[in-house]
Amino acid sequence: IFAYPPPTPLALDCSPADWLTMELHLSGERKYLSLASIRAAPPRVISGDESAKLAGCAGAELGPLLPQLAEDETLIGVLVASDGLVSAPITAGELCRGVLLHTDAAGTLLSSLRAWFPPGVAVQPSPCGTHVGPLSLKGACCCVLLPKPVTDALAMSEARVVGHMNGDHADSCLAYARGLCGVAGATGAQMTGVSCAGFALEAAVEGEAKLRKLLVRFPVPLRHASQVRGFAVELHHAAFAALGLHYRLRHGYYRRGALMAIAGVAKAIAKRRVQLGAVGLAAAALVVAVAARRRVG
């Protein structure tokens, strides 16, 4: 399930043709590649030697569609599917060689875009986890591009963020699943990862044996890794708002908010005391220094 939190909601029951647009996040800016622009690009037809399954399918290479990739080779990107699957990070050089397939071998428009990479390019575990090979992602609907220092910083903080959310904010993770992803039957949820696309969750759902994988998109395109904490707070409030007053009362939303406010006030008072103490010490030191100087004089 692919959650677009406010202010950019996207109905999960929209027609397949609605997925034939590629959303692009480039260093915090959101743009869109229409199907018309994708089909107007130089065609790239898949050969039987490249893929027996997709032979004859036509699309457009990402390089001409995204000239930014050639302009800044430090960019790292991930591709996101309409079902919430997120690719592993891909370098700009390899992204250029990716193809957005839009038409099958018979010339019929596909129900959704498919991101496909030729043999030896963008090799990574398959979204379903059954094998390792070039990425082939059905329902590709978003590409997130960020400079490598930002993705590196995000990767370094991922374990800390995941541990903090699961250890201290399990109620937020469950609210994300229920309120933002629409999984009303979720009985528990854990964060499993953080990418430049959003928060990855696994939710236990009543009546389902397998954990359901979810993606909670950030409310706005990411610019810096330091934004993640603010996004988590914003999505916490958005999720609980979507779940209604009764849920907020039952699950301690207002109590947690009050405790956090009290803690914030206490922290501010303590900081103020430290500042006042420092001023007092400085003043005392000045008095001692003046008195010493007078004695010497």
Side-chain angles (χ1 to χ4, degrees), residues 59-293:
E61 288 191 339
L62 283 168
L65 291 172
L66 304 176
Q68 300 91 343
L69 296 174
E71 295 168 2
D72 186 355
E73 295 184 354
T74 69
L75 289 174
I76 300 293
V78 299
L79 290 165
V80 185
S82 56
D83 60 2
L85 290 174
V86 181
S87 75
I90 308 170
T91 63
E94 292 197 319
L95 272 173
C96 284
R97 300 179 61 188
V99 182
L100 285 180
L101 298 176
H102 51 67
T103 306
D104 66 17
T108 304
L109 196 66
L110 297 174
S111 61
S112 63
L113 294 172
R114 183 178 191 132
W116 175 88
F117 288 80
V121 181
V123 175
Q124 53 188 263
S126 65
C128 56
T130 58
H131 64 279
V132 175
L135 178 66
S136 183
L137 189 67
K138 291 181 180 179
C141 64
C142 183
C143 178
V144 184
L145 298 171
L146 286 169
K148 189 174 186 299
V150 178
T151 59
D152 287 347
L154 194 63
M156 288 179 64
S157 64
E158 181 181 22
R160 175 179 55 80
V161 172
V162 169
H164 174 65
M165 291 300 295
N166 290 333
D168 298 335
H169 300 285
D171 59 329
S172 296
C173 293
L174 180 58
Y176 292 166
R178 289 182 169 182
L180 299 180
C181 297
V183 186
T187 57
Q190 278 201 326
M191 188 171 291
T192 57
V194 183
S195 71
C196 48
F199 296 123
L201 304 178
E202 284 188 346
V205 183
E206 188 174 358
E208 296 184 11
K210 292 184 177 181
L211 295 175
R212 196 181 298 188
K213 296 181 182 296
L214 310 172
L215 175 68
V216 182
R217 290 279 298 277
F218 294 140
V220 296
L222 184 73
R223 282 181 178 272
H224 307 290
S226 59
Q227 292 177 285
V228 170
R229 182 184 181 279
F231 287 164
V233 173
E234 183 175 344
L235 292 172
H236 167 87
H237 294 303
F240 274 95
L243 290 167
L245 177 62
H246 184 60
Y247 186 92
R248 292 196 295 273
L249 290 171
R250 284 182 55 207
H251 291 266
Y253 173 78
Y254 296 108
R255 179 176 177 274
R256 177 180 281 273
L259 291 174
M260 291 182 68
I262 292 170
V265 171
K267 186 176 180 180
I269 292 173
K271 184 177 180 180
R272 183 66 175 169
R273 285 176 178 171
V274 169
Q275 290 174 340
L276 290 174
V279 170
L281 287 173
L286 180 61
V287 170
V288 171
V290 171
R293 187 171 182 180

Side-chain angles (χ1 to χ4, degrees), residues 44-59 99 101 116 118-119:
R44 168 74 156 83
V45 180
I46 309 304
S47 70
D49 292 336
E50 293 176 312
S51 172
K53 180 180 179 181
L54 299 175
C57 291
V99 182
L101 298 176
W116 175 88

